[in-house]
Amino acid sequence: LRALRPPVPAAESESLGVSLRYVLGKEHFEKELMKELGCDASKKTFLDLKHWCWVRPHARGFLRSQFKICPRDGRLGCAVVDALPEEHRARATVFVSWTWSYAVAEMLSALRAW
């Protein structure tokens, strides 16, 4: 298997973050979740997403991250941030703390209020 775009250097990958525009944009995160799960994901928790995307048999990862090469170790399976299109990732400037038991809608609501 090959990466779909030129690999990002490991040091650069380690400092990447997901853009707020991607997370809050109706055409991005929520739409991708709907596509991945086949249903409204707003009531799902991040634990539910973890199971669906990475734990269940034949899981593909979010945005097919399980089939992409990790820029940090060169092995198959990368972080979600590495699977995003370049316009939706950049050097992280803020750390957002959250918990796996939060519902997607709860997290998005908090980010919109921020």
Side-chain angles (χ1 to χ4, degrees):
L1 296 174
R2 61 181 176 77
L4 297 178
R5 62 181 175 275
V8 174
E12 182 182 334
S13 171
E14 291 170 359
S15 67
L16 289 177
V18 178
S19 76
L20 197 56
R21 182 176 293 152
Y22 175 80
V23 175
L24 296 181
K26 290 284 186 190
E27 293 300 310
H28 305 300
F29 182 61
E30 289 181 273
K31 186 176 180 179
E32 293 291 344
L33 283 178
M34 175 75 96
K35 191 165 85 175
E36 291 282 339
L37 276 65
C39 64
D40 177 15
S42 65
K43 302 280 190 258
K44 302 284 186 191
T45 67
F46 286 90
L47 279 171
D48 296 330
L49 300 183
K50 174 187 166 194
H51 176 77
W52 182 263
C53 293
W54 292 282
V55 177
R56 71 184 176 94
H58 309 293
R60 300 176 310 201
F62 187 65
L63 302 175
R64 301 184 58 81
S65 61
Q66 296 295 80
F67 301 109
K68 296 178 182 178
I69 303 299
C70 175
R72 289 171 299 290
D73 63 16
R75 295 173 32 194
L76 193 58
C78 70
V80 170
V81 71
D82 295 314
L84 287 172
E86 289 183 37
E87 66 267 18
H88 297 303
R89 58 190 169 112
R91 183 172 179 80
T93 57
V94 175
F95 175 77
V96 177
S97 181
W98 56 280
T99 183
W100 286 93
S101 61
Y102 287 175
V104 170
E106 189 175 14
M107 176 63 131
L108 294 177
S109 175
L111 289 171
R112 285 184 184 105
W114 180 66

